[in-house]
Amino acid sequence: MYACTDKKRQELRVLETSNVTLETIGAAAQPLDAVVVGAGFAGMYSVHRLTRQGLSVQCFEAGDDVGGTWWWNRYPGAQCDVESLEYSYGFSEELQQSWRWTRKYAAQAEILAYARHVADRFDLRRHIRFGARVASVAYDEPQRLWTVVLATGEAVRARFVLMGTGNLSTPRVPDIPGLADFKGTWIHSSRWPKGEVDFTGKRVAVIGTGSTGIQIIPVVARTARQLVVFQRSPNFVVQAFNRDLDPQGVASYKAKYPQMRERARQSELGVADIDMPTRSALDDTPEQREARYEALWQRGSHPAFLCAYNDLLVNKASNDTAAEFVRRKIRAAVKDPKVAELLCPHDHPIGAKRLCAGTDYYETYNRPNVKLVDARAHPIEKITARGLVSGGVEHEVDVIIFATGFDAMTGALREIDIRGRGGVALAQQWSSGPATYLGLMVAGFPNLFLITGPGSPSVKSNVILSIEQHVDWIARCLDDMRRTGQGLIEADPLAQAQWVAHVNEVADRTLYPQTDSWYTGANVPGKPRVFMPYVGGIARYRRHCDEVAADGYRGFRLQPSGVAQPA
Ligand code: NAP
């Protein structure tokens, strides 16, 4: 069993925040009701919901403000690709009526301003300690308490822990030899320095052409003297057609906001403004398909494009028709046929990797200062003092931008030393891939909740909507436990195994698992290959979670308060 030694106790200092003095381990003072890890959209809403329920809550955030992914990812061109009116909280009618989005797809700064507004409006900051990185979270079985220790050594105890650590928050810098020798500047997209980075007159390399790279590349190309893009796998990119929102359109949307939110909750993807198709792509003639794809292309929405037909993500032949439509768009946009061909993806079904939405991404390759390097045929061999070597050629640059992605979905949880019953490490328990019950809890880790964890719709949905659903479910659960005198809730291993099997079974009916992507962990060398999100649809998932709760938390083990635990 994990035990806190006397020496460790001495190392742990009293942790003080503006509103609450937290006790050291072993002190007699009352532990907190809940610790929330992370102050992104998940952590913020958790703090709001639980404090309104009368619970004592402390949130720890490694960054120095709220916003999570939108605080960290301030690279040039960063913007959302879910429409602003939908990618926002729905819990407060006053909030959604008063906040004014200016763009169809909000840029990072606007979303961060929104997060700050929410923190101020709901007075969340007094429960959040910034610049506080959580190092470990350990379960003390006899006490039935979690001990949360910061990187500074300070600690606090709580009955419940909510992990709002995000699914795309552990950046991945590939292990390319020589990086330490590089004399220029290198930056990972999600650790972007505060303030503008001026590329004027600079020679810049971008490694990576996922959702991040395709946003950075057109913006940097405008000012850099020379931009070299290292593309290992081309991605499908639909035009975002971002634009200013028209006030009248916003007013009429806001007039039906509650209905639109409800529609989103009852949808497949957590997005209200998409009609689910009933036809197969193969039911239409080539001309009909072309017209349908073109209309949806013009709409500028990646989920809408993938909802052109009902079988694009389950039937390869149908998928090929959509993929070929986008390849034709690429060939039309890019003047040099060789470059166009290199940009055309052939290695995965469209949508099986995250479909990107960009602004003039392909057109950027027509600029004379932009060069595309095939890093599949010529992998980056090493980094030198002056630049990068690929295919035996040295590309001299002043700045290297790593748009190389994340250790997704499990990275942030594995970075923290989380130990459950018997001192078992979560990282160890997940050594063959993550296993959860409903993406909410892990067997052996009582009273510890994941928000949008693996095995839930999470990244395959409008994530703010999924965050609200999880936090509402957890808040209801804690309230039910209080009312019924329960002190402990834990996923049943059998229910967890059945849920994991269901998640896999649903995924196996689609084209997702066959594709190398961060959804399957394939982007991180050595990571177990498991398709992690739940793709059974938002409405179905929500209904199931509600039924589980209504059925006395079926599949969870509950124990009354005050019952001693076996050591
Ligand atoms: P990503 O999709 O994982 O893309 C990483 C890119 O880096 C890939 O092109 C990858 O190539 C490349 N790469 C990695 N190691 C490399 C190496 N050694 N040599 C050459 N290339 C290498 O990461 P991301 O672009 O940061 O996006 C991650 C997710 O964040 C997105 O899918 C999306 O969910 C979210 N996101 C959303 C938005 C938005 O809302 N607009 C914006 C940005 C990100 P391979 O494909 O060959 O591995």
Side-chain angles (χ1 to χ4, degrees), residues 265-313:
R265 291 181 197 113
Q266 300 311 325
S267 70
E268 282 284 302
L269 304 169
V271 179
D273 217 1
I274 293 178
D275 292 320
M276 289 317 286
T278 50
R279 288 173 72 77
S280 157
L282 306 181
D283 290 340
D284 274 355
T285 64
E287 295 72 25
Q288 287 168 327
R289 276 199 299 266
E290 186 74 10
R292 181 147 179 80
Y293 288 140
E294 183 60 33
L296 288 165
W297 175 271
Q298 294 303 330
R299 181 168 162 187
S301 155
H302 69 93
F305 188 81
L306 287 176
C307 288
Y309 294 103
N310 65 6
D311 58 350
L312 291 186
L313 288 162

Side-chain angles (χ1 to χ4, degrees), residues 75 79 81 208-212 215 232-233 353-354 403 405 518:
Y75 59 80
Q79 70 178 28
D81 57 10
T209 50
S211 300
T212 302
Q215 291 187 332
R232 191 164 64 185
S233 317
K353 273 185 176 185
R354 177 67 140 71
W518 60 259

Side-chain angles (χ1 to χ4, degrees), residues 26-71:
Q30 280 293 101
L32 288 160
D33 288 319
V35 159
V36 173
V37 186
F41 283 105
M44 287 167 67
Y45 185 50
S46 302
V47 169
H48 173 68
R49 194 71 168 72
L50 298 191
T51 53
R52 290 305 130 111
Q53 216 158 284
L55 303 182
S56 58
V57 179
Q58 177 65 50
C59 174
F60 296 114
E61 165 57 51
D64 63 19
D65 206 347
V66 293
T69 203
W70 300 104
W71 187 87

Side-chain angles (χ1 to χ4, degrees), residues 348-553:
H348 66 278
I350 185 168
K353 273 185 176 185
R354 177 67 140 71
L355 181 58
C356 307
T359 299
D360 298 335
Y361 172 65
Y362 294 119
E363 290 76 0
T364 298
Y365 292 94
N366 295 330
R367 298 178 66 106
N369 65 332
V370 177
K371 184 174 172 185
L372 182 64
V373 172
D374 182 353
R376 170 76 58 199
H378 307 292
I380 303 167
E381 293 150 34
K382 60 179 176 180
I383 295 175
T384 64
R386 291 186 303 253
L388 303 101
V389 177
S390 136
V393 176
E394 185 174 32
H395 300 267
E396 290 190 23
V397 292
D398 306 303
V399 184
I400 303 173
I401 299 173
F402 287 91
T404 43
F406 302 87
D407 183 351
M409 304 204 69
T410 54
L413 293 165
R414 292 172 60 104
E415 260 182 3
I416 298 172
D417 186 9
I418 302 177
R419 292 183 183 254
R421 286 188 189 281
V424 171
L426 184 68
Q428 182 58 36
Q429 189 157 317
W430 282 3
S431 58
S432 318
T436 70
Y437 182 40
L438 303 176
L440 274 164
M441 294 197 99
V442 182
F445 296 78
N447 290 359
L448 180 130
F449 294 97
L450 311 179
I451 304 173
T452 65
S456 75
S458 56
V459 295
K460 291 305 298 169
S461 69
N462 173 0
V463 77
I464 299 192
L465 182 126
S466 288
I467 283 168
E468 284 185 322
Q469 185 240 341
H470 266 192
V471 174
D472 287 342
W473 191 96
I474 294 164
R476 170 186 173 180
C477 170
L478 299 195
D479 199 44
D480 286 346
M481 287 174 70
R482 182 191 56 74
R483 282 189 305 97
T484 55
Q486 305 292 344
L488 188 136
I489 183 163
E490 182 176 1
D492 176 74
L494 182 61
Q496 176 169 293
Q498 287 169 342
W499 180 252
V500 170
H502 174 63
V503 170
N504 289 333
E505 181 204 318
V506 171
D508 287 343
R509 287 186 224 138
T510 72
L511 301 171
Y512 290 115
Q514 300 159 24
T515 304
D516 284 346
S517 71
W518 60 259
Y519 295 144
T520 59
N523 66 324
V524 178
K527 189 166 173 171
R529 201 185 156 123
V530 174
F531 182 78
M532 294 180 279
Y534 177 62
V535 285
I538 289 290
R540 180 177 172 192
Y541 174 79
R542 293 176 73 95
R543 211 168 36 244
H544 184 73
C545 290
D546 288 346
E547 284 165 8
V548 162
D551 196 14
Y553 294 91

